[in-house]
Amino acid sequence: MVLPLEGPIFPVYVTDVGASVGDDEEDEIDIDTRSTTWVRKRSKEFEYTLPNDKYSKVTQEVLHLENTKKRKIVAMSDLHLGGSWSEGMDWKLEKYLDNLIQIAKEEVACFVMLGDIFEMWLEKFAEVPPDNAARVQAWKESGSVLINAIDKLISECDVKVFYVRGNHDREITEQDVKTIFGEKVSFVPCTLILRLKTGSETEHRVRLAHGHEWDVFNSYMLQDSNKLIPNRPIGYYIARAVSTAERHDSGSEVEDLLIGLAGGLLSMIPKALEDDLIDVLLRPEVHRKLIGRLFEGAFEVEDIDFLLQAKCRVSENEYVRLQSLLEYPLFRLCGSEVGKQDVFHMIKAATGDYKKFIRRSDEDVVVLAHTHRWDLRKYRNYKGNQVVYANTGCWTCNAEEFSSVVLDPPTVDKDGLVTIDYGKNE
């Protein structure tokens, strides 16, 4: 499902360009693009400070793009390598990356892997997840197309490469990333801020994050001191349930269930009643029903009660009962961590609506992932400046489209461009 392109504040000026990538006609992938302008001058200048909130543990990098044509920033995410959702995608990924390598030496300054590159969430309920050492060995094979491309981008094209963690690869470590890709790949635990020096007086800034920390069901910051759920968000267990049901397309189906359940409810709530909605969600019986509906969709059952004693193995000696998941005080924890208003906005973010968080951003461009649906919009932030929001989409077999984001920053005398490259999964 592709979200509507028009944004609530600015129109997005669209350019559609068809292109084929591949040497053999039968192996070509058709790439279309959608683009919007990245303005070179802000409406209001201000003294910039790095984000300092509960959602953003920031890594910053300065890119010097003065007097060079090698200035593009490419981001892709949600490959889920090593899991069932990536099956059959290798050849498309290889064609796209081969084409990228051909232009990278002259045009690309930076490549960002924006989370969920590898899969760590899709073991069945009864399976003990492998340790990281075993996963890394397996990923070297399942991720060989990407690994080889990253090596060429660095060694042959002098491209700066970053690995930003998502939720499905949240437990990957910096050493794991170095073991897989080599020492020159920079590891980013949460949020990457790129500060771009273009030769003008204006410093352009880009925020890149996976986006799960703004999602109430997938944020790792919501930890319960009673440890009903050991160190993982409830979305982890929903994904494990999806895998247990052995439905390769079920990731998108559960996502649609959540959008229908939460999005439909939220869209009908007037702003004046937002606090009332949160008070309702804080009631244990309401929370239990909502989470129960998600697990019913994941397991493909009509009544979750007969599965209450099902155990999800999280290690050799640890498991979590489904009943504990239904009793987990998710919304109460969220309210105590970020406040009532942000509970509401984190529920909206779970449906792919990041508007409130993006409007708080002081960066010129915000690139997120996580939703598996590419998006391109413009907002005006609270300082009155334009913010371009782009979502990288995904490269999974159960999605309608595969996609990436390409940023071409402004120059001294010319506006920049934010582009979505996308193609159909057929």
Side-chain angles (χ1 to χ4, degrees), residues 97 141 196 218 258 286 311 408:
L97 291 173
E141 180 176 347
L196 311 180
N218 289 290
L258 178 58
V286 175
K311 298 176 182 178
D408 193 353

Side-chain angles (χ1 to χ4, degrees), residues 84-97:
S84 59
W85 296 354
S86 67
E87 290 178 1
M89 295 299 295
D90 267 5
W91 73 272
K92 294 177 183 177
L93 181 64
E94 186 171 17
K95 294 294 182 183
Y96 184 82
L97 291 173

Side-chain angles (χ1 to χ4, degrees), residues 108-129:
V108 180
C110 180
F111 182 81
V112 182
M113 295 177 275
L114 200 55
D116 287 5
I117 301 302
F118 297 109
E119 182 56 69
M120 303 181 79
W121 274 26
L122 290 184
E123 282 76 34
K124 297 178 182 178
F125 251 48
E127 295 175 349
V128 177

Side-chain angles (χ1 to χ4, degrees), residues 310-412:
K311 298 176 182 178
C312 182
R313 301 286 299 275
V314 294
S315 70
E316 197 67 54
N317 301 311
E318 272 188 304
Y319 64 85
V320 175
R321 290 188 189 276
L322 182 57
Q323 184 167 357
S324 296
L325 300 174
L326 301 186
E327 295 171 355
Y328 185 65
L330 174 65
F331 298 115
R332 178 178 61 77
L333 284 172
C334 188
S336 63
E337 190 72 27
V338 301
K340 274 188 180 182
Q341 282 299 311
D342 271 14
V343 176
F344 183 81
H345 299 304
M346 289 182 74
I347 295 171
K348 293 184 79 170
T351 71
D353 182 355
Y354 291 107
K355 175 182 175 181
K356 195 73 172 183
F357 297 108
I358 293 167
R359 293 193 67 199
R360 292 177 186 172
S361 300
D362 285 335
E363 294 74 34
D364 307 296
V365 179
V366 175
V367 183
L368 302 177
H370 185 54
T371 66
H372 286 205
R373 304 182 309 278
W374 66 264
D375 202 354
L376 186 61
R377 299 170 186 260
K378 288 183 178 180
Y379 297 95
R380 197 178 291 281
N381 68 12
Y382 293 120
K383 287 186 171 69
N385 289 318
Q386 174 184 299
V387 180
V388 179
Y389 163 56
N391 194 294
T392 50
C394 67
W395 288 76
T396 64
C397 58
N398 51 35
E400 291 185 9
E401 296 173 320
F402 54 89
S403 52
S404 302
V405 170
V406 181
L407 310 180
D408 193 353
T411 64
V412 173

Side-chain angles (χ1 to χ4, degrees), residues 38 63 65 73 194-198 202-204 206 409:
W38 174 358
L63 293 183
L65 305 178
I73 300 162
L194 295 179
R195 306 181 72 155
L196 311 180
K197 307 295 185 181
T198 61
T202 302
E203 177 190 76
H204 299 285
V206 181

